[in-house]
Structure formats: C-alpha cells, structure tokens
Amino acid sequence: MDVLTLSQLQFAATGMFHWIFVPLTLGLSILTAWMETKYVTTGDEMWLRMTKFWGKLFLINFALGVVTGITMEFQFGMNWSEYSRYVGDIFGAPLAIEATFAFFLESVFIGVWIFGWNKVSKKAHLTAIWLASVATNISALIILLANAWMQKPVGYVLRNNRAEMENFLTVLLNPYGWIKFTHTLLSGYALAAFLIMGVSAWHLLRNNENDFFKRSFKLAAVWAFVASLGVALTGDFHAVEIAKTQPTKFAAMESQWETKRGVGMNLLILPNVAQECNSVEALCVPNALSMLAFHDPNAEIKGLKDFPKELRPMVTPTFLSFRLMVGLGSFMILASLVAIFLSRRQNLEQQRWFLTLMVFAIPAPYLAEQFGWLVAELGRQPWIVYGVLKTADAVSKSISTTQVALSLLGFTVLYGLLGAIDIFLLIKYAKKGPDKNISTIINVQGRA
C-alpha cells in the first residue's frame, strides 16, 4: 500500500476509535446534569446516588475521549500537510476556537465538578456540570462545522493557489453543519440512554438495587425514544441536503445507477459495481426515493452513470453502511418504545427476555454511529473537500510508506491498549453498582 492508502487507514482507525467515546460523552454529560438537577430541586437522595454512579462512567469515558482526540489533529500536519497548506486558513479557525474556548471551558468545569464535592454549594456544583455539558456540546458543534465545510465548502475564495476565508459567518452558519450537528447530538443522547438501559437491565436481572435501576431505566427509555425519533427526523433533512450538495454520495447510498424521475425505493438491493447495475431489486416503494431526496415524488435523482468513474465513491461499502445504520436506528426506536411501555409496569424486573435483549443492545447505537461516519466519509470520496480538493492531492509529500506504516502500527497497539483499559473500567464500575454511603456529600452540600 502507498502513503495515501496508509494515511487514510490511519486517520480512519484513529477517528473511528475516538468516536467510540465522543457520543457517550455528549449524551451522558447532559443526563448526569439532569440527574443532579433533580437532586438539587427535590432533595431526593436517590437522584444524588444516580448522579454519582452514572457520572463516574461519564468521567472514565471522557478521559479516554480526550486522549484519543489529541492525536487526530497532529495528523493534519504529519500525514495531510498538503491539505493543511491548501485549506488551513479556513479549517484551522474552528479547530483553534474549539481548543481555546470549548475544550478549555469543559476541562475547567469538569475539574470543578470532580473535586467540588464537599467544597462548593449544591447550586455551584450543579452549575459546574451544566457548564461542562454545554461546553462539550459546543466542542462537538465546532468540530462538526469544520467537517461540514469539507462536505459543503462555503464562505471561501480560491486565491494564491489555496482556499482562503472570505466570510467566517457563512462558514459558521453552514446549514449542512447544523443539520449534521443536530443529527449527531441526538444520536449521542440515544447512545447514552441505551447504555443506561443496558447496565440497568443487567442489574435488574440480578435483582440488585431494583428501585435505583428501575428509575434509571425509566428515565433512559424516554430519552432513548425521543432522541432516536429525532435522529430519524434530522436524518431525513440530512438526506435532502446530501441529495442537493453531494449527488454522488446520495446515489451511492441508494445504489442508484440511472438518472430518473419519480424514483421508487427498493427495500432489497444487491449492487453489482462491475456491471454498473443492481443484481437484485425487490419490494419497491413507488416514488419513495424521490420523496426522500427532495420531498417531491416526481423529483429527478442523478444516477452514478452520470458521473465519471473516477469521481464516484465506493458504492458497496457506502450502500451497506447506510442500510445498516438505518436498520439499527429503526431497531432503537422500536426497542425504546417497548422500554417505555414496560418500564411503567410494576414488574419490569420480571420481563427477563426484554432485559436480556437490552443488555445485548448496548453495542447497537455504537455500530449505528460508526456506520453513519462511514457513509459520510466514504461517500465523499474521492474528494477530501467536496468539489475543491481531492484526497490524493492532500496527502503529505515528504513522508515515506515505512513511516506511515510504523505510525499506523503504533496507533493500533496504543489505541487497542487504551480501548481495553476503557472497557475494563466501564465494566468494573458498571457491575459494582452505586455507592450506598453518600452521607458526607449530603451533609456538607446541604449547608449551602
């Protein structure tokens, strides 16, 4: 493999690994803040125990997310220096803002929240976790706006053989980025809720702290259902934006080869890339694809054959990733709806079949997130900035295959170790359950 392929594999590996931690941080930070809010407003000690227990899992995940995220930015200088030279004037701005504002804010107030127990008032402590949560979400917004510029470049001008910022506000208000952010944020909320339901189900199957975990399960079920529905809704808007701005990606997502009007959606498709057609097309919903793309049953869908082969993304992996993402998302909506219904019954702990299902469902939103990013990034190829800069022209010219291969190997080993540590700690403290003795926290914080 050449430098380009190895660099792509390295960024994909580090990026996908980093994204294991990001959505849980986004969702669990808000849920932890909500639990502490309920404690402060009601005085119910159960909410405090929930804050401490789920907050501990949040902190473990947050620490690993920070470590794995730092290395990604270094790759822009090491592996993708031509990209940095060409678009650094634009892409560098949001990265700088994220580091100096959002990351600084969340780090400071995470510290206050961790070490502020027994030292600050309840309201001050609650404010700290809310500020940290909001900063975490702002951090995600800024990074996703940067990624959105790669998908739909706006507010720039080509000058001096590079892309230069012309209107920062246009970059900031890029509709592609805000739809992507909302879609991603809600998926993080759904993922965190499924983790809470899965861990709660594990304890309920063992009749451990039933009142604690039934309340946790009930809360998470509602969050999961609302967030999963929101993911589906924003996904529809996102598909419309993709159809308008990245027709090759949309065609690959649906394995659409011919340009047609009033295109139906085949629920069963088997792409045949070699023959530029689909070997299997079955269960067609009339006009559904045109409705999905433009909210118009008679709209024209551009087929892959309308574009040169060298400008098409890899069809099969993009298509399969999209279908798997949608399938997992549909399962999450259905499972969370059933969870809401069962959690309102008095005998939730007796629904062993469903509790077992929810334990095994913990990986579902993680997989859906990863498939979603595969669609986003594979579907953009061969462009690193859609329509502006090709990926092959963005890789560094001064590094060798051996150097990239060694760094890829090093990252794989290091991240594998970090992943093992994270899984070990999450399982250890999730199985341990909530602390029973929290009287010192209640007594000291109750004074203010």
Side-chain angles (χ1 to χ4, degrees):
M1 289 186 285
D2 58 10
V3 170
L4 173 61
T5 304
L6 287 170
S7 294
Q8 286 178 302
L9 285 174
Q10 179 172 287
F11 200 87
T14 54
M16 293 178 73
F17 189 85
H18 175 60
W19 202 256
I20 293 173
F21 309 101
V22 173
L24 183 58
T25 296
L26 294 174
L28 209 49
S29 63
I30 295 292
L31 281 164
T32 302
W34 175 255
M35 292 172 190
E36 187 166 356
T37 301
K38 295 292 287 184
Y39 162 64
V40 172
T41 55
T42 66
D44 187 342
E45 297 177 9
M46 182 72 79
W47 288 110
L48 178 60
R49 296 180 68 213
M50 289 170 65
T51 302
K52 290 287 289 181
F53 176 70
W54 298 112
K56 185 177 294 182
L57 301 185
F58 158 66
L59 291 174
I60 293 169
N61 185 81
F62 177 82
L64 269 293
V66 170
V67 172
T68 56
I70 292 173
T71 57
M72 294 185 65
E73 294 192 9
F74 286 112
Q75 292 181 70
F76 290 119
M78 295 185 296
N79 297 69
W80 303 98
S81 61
E82 290 301 307
Y83 171 80
S84 298
R85 183 196 64 79
Y86 196 82
V87 302
D89 183 66
I90 303 168
F91 193 77
L95 295 186
I97 295 171
E98 190 273 337
T100 57
F101 172 66
F103 182 69
F104 179 78
L105 186 65
E106 65 182 310
S107 299
V108 168
F109 286 101
I110 279 288
V112 173
W113 191 74
I114 295 172
F115 301 107
W117 294 104
N118 303 324
K119 296 180 178 66
V120 298
S121 69
K122 289 192 290 186
K123 291 182 179 179
H125 197 264
L126 175 62
T127 302
I129 186 59
W130 272 113
L131 286 173
S133 301
V134 170
T136 298
N137 286 264
I138 292 174
S139 178
L141 169 62
I142 296 171
I143 294 300
L144 289 169
L145 286 174
N147 180 269
W149 188 85
M150 300 168 67
Q151 307 283 349
K152 181 187 176 181
V154 295
Y156 74 100
V157 61
L158 295 178
R159 186 167 49 218
N160 301 320
N161 198 31
R162 63 197 294 264
E164 297 181 1
M165 181 86 71
E166 186 175 52
N167 191 326
F168 178 70
L169 188 61
T170 303
V171 176
L172 188 64
L173 298 179
N174 188 348
Y176 196 106
W178 284 92
I179 295 172
K180 191 181 187 75
F181 167 68
T182 308
H183 188 64
T184 303
L185 193 67
L186 289 170
S187 68
Y189 293 169
L191 184 147
F194 264 80
L195 178 78
I196 291 176
M197 284 195 292
V199 173
S200 298
W202 189 88
H203 284 278
L204 289 171
L205 285 168
R206 290 156 179 78
N207 287 313
N208 179 38
E209 292 274 5
N210 281 5
D211 290 340
F212 179 98
F213 286 109
K214 285 174 74 173
R215 184 182 294 190
S216 295
F217 190 97
K218 186 176 181 180
L219 170 67
V222 176
W223 276 79
F225 179 67
V226 174
S228 297
L229 275 181
V231 170
L233 180 62
T234 55
D236 175 66
F237 286 109
H238 199 26
V240 172
E241 189 70 20
I242 290 172
K244 292 178 181 176
T245 60
Q246 296 179 299
T248 52
K249 178 189 288 187
F250 188 85
M253 286 163 52
E254 299 293 347
S255 190
Q256 181 67 29
W257 296 94
E258 305 288 346
T259 298
K260 296 180 181 178
R261 287 188 175 275
V263 182
M265 177 182 288
N266 292 287
L267 301 182
L268 294 179
I269 294 180
L270 181 61
N272 186 334
V273 178
Q275 299 296 322
E276 296 189 337
C277 64
N278 297 319
S279 299
V280 175
E281 292 183 350
L283 303 178
C284 182
V285 181
N287 302 98
L289 193 58
S290 290
M291 278 294 296
L292 175 67
F294 297 103
H295 294 170
D296 178 358
N298 297 311
E300 180 181 84
I301 304 294
K302 290 286 186 181
L304 287 163
K305 289 184 178 180
D306 267 19
F307 304 95
K309 289 184 178 181
E310 63 272 15
L311 296 182
R312 301 176 193 170
M314 292 185 287
V315 176
T316 302
T318 304
F319 167 79
L320 291 177
S321 296
F322 178 69
R323 289 295 173 110
L324 288 168
M325 177 191 69
V326 171
L328 288 167
S330 301
F331 163 77
M332 290 167 62
I333 294 173
L334 179 61
S336 56
L337 181 60
V338 175
I340 291 175
F341 173 73
L342 293 179
S343 65
R344 274 150 177 73
R345 300 172 64 176
Q346 297 299 317
N347 62 342
L348 174 62
E349 63 275 16
Q350 297 176 21
Q351 308 298 322
R352 300 186 66 84
W353 67 272
F354 186 72
L355 294 175
T356 302
L357 173 66
M358 294 312 294
V359 173
F360 286 101
I362 291 176
Y366 283 97
L367 291 172
E369 293 264 0
Q370 297 291 346
F371 287 129
W373 274 110
L374 284 174
V375 173
E377 299 305 306
L378 289 177
R380 191 184 63 228
Q381 300 305 313
W383 304 98
I384 193 168
V385 179
Y386 194 81
V388 176
L389 180 66
K390 288 187 176 180
T391 308
D393 298 325
V395 72
S396 298
K397 298 177 180 179
S398 59
I399 55 176
S400 66
T401 303
T402 302
Q403 288 174 318
V404 184
L406 289 175
S407 64
L408 174 59
L409 177 62
F411 277 128
T412 302
V413 173
L414 175 62
Y415 277 28
L417 178 61
L418 291 174
I421 293 171
D422 177 70
I423 293 172
F424 170 77
L425 291 174
L426 285 176
I427 292 176
K428 175 184 176 180
Y429 288 102
K431 283 185 174 181
K432 183 180 178 182
D435 295 328
K436 298 182 185 298
N437 183 16
I438 54 174
S439 58
T440 55
I441 299 171
I442 297 172
N443 290 339
V444 175
Q445 292 212 336
R447 296 183 304 186

